[in-house]
Amino acid sequence: MRVPFIDLKRSIEPVREQILADWTRCLDQTEFVSGPTVQKLEKELGRVLEAEHAVACANGTDALIIGLQALGVKAGMRVAVPNMTFWAPFEAIAQIGAEPVLVDINPDDLQMDFDEFKRGHEKFRFGAAILVHLLGWTSTRLGDFRKYCKEEGIHLLEDGAQSFGVRYHGESVYTGAEVSTISFYPAKVLGAAGDAGAMFTPNPKLAEVIRALGNHGRAGHYTYDFVGWNSRMGGIQASFLMRMLEQIDGMIDSRLQAEAFYKDFFDAYPQHGRVYTAPEGITGNGYLSVIQSHKVSGDDLAARLRDAGIGCARTYPQTLCEQGPSQTCLRTSDLAHSQKFSRMVINLPLFAGITRDECLASAEALLHAFEGL
């Protein structure tokens, strides 16, 4: 059996006709930039994610840049970021002229290590930090991060690009964040039909600043309070996301069932590797299957899986400290945990609508790869 790593068509097909009708309406009403459907989406996102104020934007990376700027992050400020994450948080820090400081992950929950973060602040004095809710869950120390940053005057931006539906001790992970962001890149748990994103905050004045920054810094049509960005969502993307929201509970449930299948399967073979899922106290969303091999490199496993017709990925095969533009960055340690994990990680197919037979075929192929290397 050949299994794709991801198949977005399975989520689109149930609402395909409704989407086409929505897009026709947007075309007829020329709802191309902002508009009533975007406003409706913002309200619905705020309700579902338990965030008081939601502001849509063009993509998740813009959300990070605008969020940092709204929090007052300025050129030259030192900003902590986990060494294992997508490039966008590093990029956002650099784009506004701030200085990224790389922090290692905790090997148990794979999120930015809180104790190392504190030691780093004592040494480097962070002006801000990006805490990434990575891999479909969040840090077990989220409450400690928020409390410590508030006490120390560290601006904390929470990158929730991968965490739609994640809950921390019963609350949405977006609740309680000074500013948090989300990406609606199509492969995310809630994905658009292209790039899109949003920002959340409980502070109404901060929400006004965020909205202005994403619309050229406007105060009025031709008056400006800030030097901002052109980062606006249109009705076509908003209407697509509204349709995806109608079925999101089932989509997340499908992901979680696949994640649980992989964990149960490989828990019987602890000699080969470990399947990570959301830690105790955190409800995950099944964003990725996260398997760390004990002895075999992720690259070798991926090659075997591809030969067997199984789609796979390695998220993330290299850490931030291994990228060319980061070579002169400050580091809070040798970053050994993140680099070791990245060398050994493998991701099996996991998407809304994946079947049990596809999960079984994928798991058996990985088991054969383990045993053959």
Side-chain angles (χ1 to χ4, degrees), residues 48 50 138 163 165-173 281-284:
V48 173
E50 301 168 17
T138 186
S163 55
V166 172
R167 303 188 74 79
Y168 176 76
H169 295 295
E171 285 191 332
S172 168
V173 75
I282 300 169
T283 302

Side-chain angles (χ1 to χ4, degrees), residues 169-218:
H169 295 295
E171 285 191 332
S172 168
V173 75
Y174 300 92
T175 301
E178 186 178 9
V179 174
S180 56
T181 69
I182 192 169
S183 168
F184 300 123
Y185 181 75
K188 295 293 192 285
V189 171
L190 177 65
D195 279 314
M199 295 152 283
F200 309 98
T201 180
N203 185 327
K205 292 189 179 299
L206 198 53
E208 291 177 5
V209 172
I210 288 169
R211 190 174 297 281
L213 285 170
N215 188 23
H216 294 286
R218 278 186 168 124

Side-chain angles (χ1 to χ4, degrees), residues 22-36 234-236:
D22 291 338
W23 284 354
T24 298
R25 176 184 51 78
C26 287
L27 291 172
D28 289 343
Q29 297 179 2
T30 62
E31 198 178 332
F32 301 138
V33 177
S34 301
I236 288 175

Side-chain angles (χ1 to χ4, degrees), residues 39-54 163-168 170-176 180 182 184 189-190 198-200 241-252 283 285:
Q39 295 170 10
K40 183 178 179 181
L41 174 67
E42 290 175 339
K43 290 180 180 178
E44 186 65 6
L45 288 171
R47 183 189 70 80
V48 173
L49 298 179
E50 301 168 17
E52 293 182 51
H53 302 280
S163 55
F164 186 99
V166 172
R167 303 188 74 79
Y168 176 76
E171 285 191 332
S172 168
V173 75
Y174 300 92
T175 301
S180 56
I182 192 169
F184 300 123
V189 171
L190 177 65
M199 295 152 283
F200 309 98
L241 286 165
M242 289 295 293
R243 292 299 178 186
M244 291 296 106
L245 274 169
E246 292 177 359
Q247 55 180 354
I248 192 64
D249 290 344
M251 292 166 62
I252 291 176
T283 302
N285 63 14

Side-chain angles (χ1 to χ4, degrees), residues 4 21 24 31 69 80 117 125 192-193 196 238 258 277 283 291 295 323 328 336:
T24 298
E31 198 178 332
Q69 190 173 347
F117 174 78
R125 308 309 297 176
T277 56
T283 302
I291 303 170
K295 299 177 182 178
Q323 310 306 319
T328 60

